[in-house]
């Protein structure tokens, strides 16, 4: 498997540009997780400590997501909500961000393969 590139890829169906692979290459694993945590903190409801539909709708413009519809935002919360509580905790958010980045998912396979090879 080839090492992942450091270029942003665009999802043609959504027009979303995936910058996580670039961030991962520049920041490393710990730095990327730190930035994802910062993103979580920007989007979360500060009283509840989780990302709710309302907090996502209110704060999404901070991350350039102001054009997403209410349905898109609800789908994001639903897709990442593994425990079924209707909100995203920090771990669910980070997992969702990785799942939404096909190139980063491919890269994680590369790093796993590399780890087992040594």
């Amino acid at each position: 498997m080839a090492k992942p590139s450091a270029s942003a890829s665009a999802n043609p169906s959504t027009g979303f540009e995936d910058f996580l692979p670039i961030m991962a290459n520049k920041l490393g694993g710990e730095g990327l997780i730190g930035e994802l945590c910062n993103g979580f903190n920007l989007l979360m409801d500060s009283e509840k400590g989780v990302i709710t539909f309302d907090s996502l709708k209110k704060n999404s413009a901070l991350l350039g997501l102001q054009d997403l519809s209410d349905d898109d935002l609800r789908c994001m919360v639903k897709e990442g909500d593994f425990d079924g509580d209707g909100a995203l905790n920090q771990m669910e958010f980070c997992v969702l961000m990785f799942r939404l980045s096909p190139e980063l998912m491919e890269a994680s396979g590369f790093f796993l393969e590399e780890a087992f090879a040594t």
Side-chain angles (χ1 to χ4, degrees):
M1 179 180 281
K3 188 169 182 178
S5 67
S7 63
S9 58
N11 181 336
S13 65
T14 63
F16 174 73
E17 222 171 316
D18 182 8
F19 290 102
L20 280 181
I22 293 171
M23 292 173 64
N25 281 336
K26 288 187 182 259
L27 302 172
E30 284 185 38
L32 177 62
I33 295 299
E35 285 304 309
L36 287 174
C37 291
N38 289 339
F40 173 82
N41 290 333
L42 283 173
L43 296 171
M44 77 172 185
D45 178 312
S46 58
E47 291 179 11
K48 296 179 181 176
V50 294
I51 296 173
T52 63
F53 165 76
D54 291 330
S55 71
L56 185 58
K57 182 175 174 108
K58 176 182 170 189
N59 300 319
S60 60
L62 296 172
L63 298 178
L65 303 174
Q66 65 275 2
D67 294 333
L68 292 177
S69 70
D70 285 0
D71 284 342
D72 290 335
L73 296 174
R74 280 189 190 92
C75 285
M76 286 177 71
V77 171
K78 185 177 179 182
E79 185 169 339
D81 182 18
F82 295 118
D83 61 13
D85 65 355
L88 300 178
N89 62 36
Q90 193 172 51
M91 181 61 71
E92 290 171 327
F93 174 76
C94 290
V95 168
L96 178 62
M97 293 299 99
F98 272 83
R99 286 180 49 219
L100 293 176
S101 176
E103 191 173 329
L104 202 54
M105 288 298 289
E106 185 179 303
S108 65
F110 167 78
F111 294 121
L112 186 60
E113 253 182 46
E114 204 171 67
F116 281 124
T118 57

